[in-house]
Amino acid sequence: MGRPGMSSGGGGSSGGHSSGRSSGGHHVGSSGRSSRPMGGSSSFRPGGSSGGGWGPPPPGGGFHNHYYGGYGGYYPPRRSSSIGGILTAIFFLFVFLFVFVSSFSNGKQVSTRNREKIENPVAYTNDCVKDEIGYVEDTSALSRNLQNFYNKTGIQPYIYLKAYDSSLTTDTEKEDYARDWYDKNIDNEDTFLYVYFEDADPDEVGYMAYVNGKEVTSVMDAEAVSIFWNYIDRYWTDGSLTMVQVFTKTFDSTAKTIMTKSTTGKDLAKKGILFGTVLVGAVAVIVILRMHYKRQKEKAQETIDILNTPLDHQDNIRDRYL
């Protein structure tokens, strides 16, 4: 009672019970091409090698020329101007922050909100991997490994690898099947169900779907699910990993990321703007103090000049103005 898994008589859920659950599907496609897992072998490859990538711009490319043309006429202030040097330093600081924030945000999984571990009334069960295809070389080991996800999130994971079914021809039908399978076989609302549908072509990656129990949506929200799919894409196409490693790393990485609010590019930008504002204010104060000091120095010099002027010369000047 209360654990995910097979249950006689269709379980304790009603036919309309899944209407309040969130669900969705996913196609692995980040690498451009993938192959079928071989299963059981230490040299198992979940997918093909990543293809493509960003290359350098062509010689004389428009972007390079535009950049050069935009900045080619810029000359830094002369070394004799300390204020100009400070302003130049501020300019390059903002350029550095912009580049750093951009590089930080690209290609890194981040969580932008705080999540609290749910209080799952059901203890973790090791009976949480169902493999009809033979992809997983050791289902017991994978089931034990998935407990880390449960410990960090409070959510019971369940993996179902479904053999090819010719009656399921569309993605929508597969997602409906996953929701119905949850409804009939899992009698609690604290489970995250992942279903893999084998493709008719054994060399192609099948369709993937998930179903959230009603109690897990506060943790496995849209952002968390997106993070989960991104990790699936990353590890599925890593030819050095076994299937146990693929799912273990996916669930471990997902739990670690979503349960820790990351420092995002937006956070860094805010800090950079705040720092830049303080720095500009400090420069303004320095400029005002320097101007005040300069005026005081000029007045002092005028006084010295007056005191050093001969009296007869002062009388001539006075008579001239009188």
Side-chain angles (χ1 to χ4, degrees):
M1 181 67 179
R3 69 174 180 82
M6 301 299 293
S7 59
S8 59
S13 302
S14 63
H17 194 54
S18 64
S19 61
R21 302 190 188 107
S22 61
S23 60
H26 179 70
H27 286 280
V28 172
S30 61
S31 68
R33 57 189 179 91
S34 299
S35 59
R36 179 179 68 90
M38 300 306 294
S41 169
S42 60
S43 61
F44 155 72
R45 292 177 176 269
S49 59
S50 299
W54 294 102
F63 178 79
H64 182 271
N65 286 340
H66 175 73
Y67 179 84
Y68 182 82
Y71 292 88
Y74 175 78
Y75 293 94
R78 293 188 299 178
R79 295 172 62 91
S80 60
S81 175
S82 58
I83 302 301
I86 295 174
L87 295 177
T88 302
I90 295 175
F91 170 77
F92 283 109
L93 173 64
F94 276 104
V95 171
F96 170 77
L97 289 173
F98 176 78
V99 173
F100 179 76
V101 168
S102 299
S103 62
F104 181 90
S105 302
N106 292 333
K108 182 177 181 180
Q109 292 294 320
V110 294
S111 172
T112 61
R113 58 179 295 263
N114 293 315
R115 298 176 177 84
E116 297 293 333
K117 178 181 176 180
I118 70 170
E119 296 297 329
N120 196 330
V122 183
Y124 179 76
T125 176
N126 282 326
D127 184 18
C128 59
V129 178
K130 179 180 175 64
D131 183 8
E132 297 178 348
I133 314 173
Y135 280 2
V136 180
E137 63 275 13
D138 191 338
T139 56
S140 296
L142 177 56
S143 297
R144 291 193 300 270
N145 294 347
L146 293 177
Q147 186 169 1
N148 183 58
F149 181 82
Y150 173 88
N151 292 339
K152 290 187 176 181
T153 64
I155 300 172
Q156 172 69 52
Y158 199 107
I159 295 175
Y160 176 25
L161 306 180
K162 177 173 173 51
Y164 173 68
D165 187 341
S166 60
S167 66
L168 303 175
T169 59
T170 67
D171 295 346
T172 300
E173 289 175 344
K174 294 171 184 176
E175 292 173 23
D176 290 341
Y177 179 92
R179 286 192 294 269
D180 186 61
W181 196 90
Y182 189 116
D183 197 44
K184 293 178 179 179
N185 296 278
I186 300 177
D187 57 4
N188 67 76
E189 297 297 336
D190 303 280
T191 297
F192 175 79
L193 171 65
Y194 163 89
V195 184
Y196 176 88
F197 295 89
E198 185 182 23
D199 193 81
D201 183 350
D203 292 327
E204 293 294 329
V205 178
Y207 189 67
M208 303 179 185
Y210 83 94
V211 182
N212 265 338
K214 293 180 181 179
E215 301 300 324
V216 310
T217 306
S218 61
V219 175
M220 290 304 294
D221 52 24
E223 181 185 68
V225 171
S226 176
I227 290 171
F228 174 81
W229 289 136
N230 286 334
Y231 279 123
I232 277 282
D233 286 349
R234 177 185 303 181
Y235 297 127
W236 192 278
T237 56
D238 186 342
S240 66
L241 301 178
T242 66
M243 183 57 95
V244 170
Q245 292 172 328
V246 167
F247 284 122
T248 299
K249 290 175 73 68
T250 295
F251 278 86
D252 283 354
S253 298
T254 298
K256 181 179 180 180
T257 300
I258 67 177
M259 300 308 290
T260 304
K261 187 176 184 297
S262 306
T263 301
T264 65
K266 185 179 294 185
D267 296 329
L268 291 176
K270 290 179 180 179
K271 292 180 181 179
I273 292 173
L274 177 61
F275 177 75
T277 302
V278 172
L279 187 59
V280 170
V283 171
V285 171
I286 293 173
V287 170
I288 293 173
L289 291 176
R290 282 175 58 88
M291 291 177 63
H292 177 74
Y293 173 76
K294 183 178 180 180
R295 292 189 62 185
Q296 292 296 107
K297 187 176 180 180
E298 290 174 349
K299 287 183 178 180
Q301 185 62 45
E302 289 177 359
T303 302
I304 293 174
D305 291 342
I306 292 173
L307 294 176
N308 291 335
T309 302
L311 293 177
D312 56 346
H313 182 67
Q314 293 183 20
D315 292 338
N316 293 334
I317 294 176
R318 183 185 59 187
D319 294 340
R320 183 185 308 170
Y321 285 97
L322 291 176

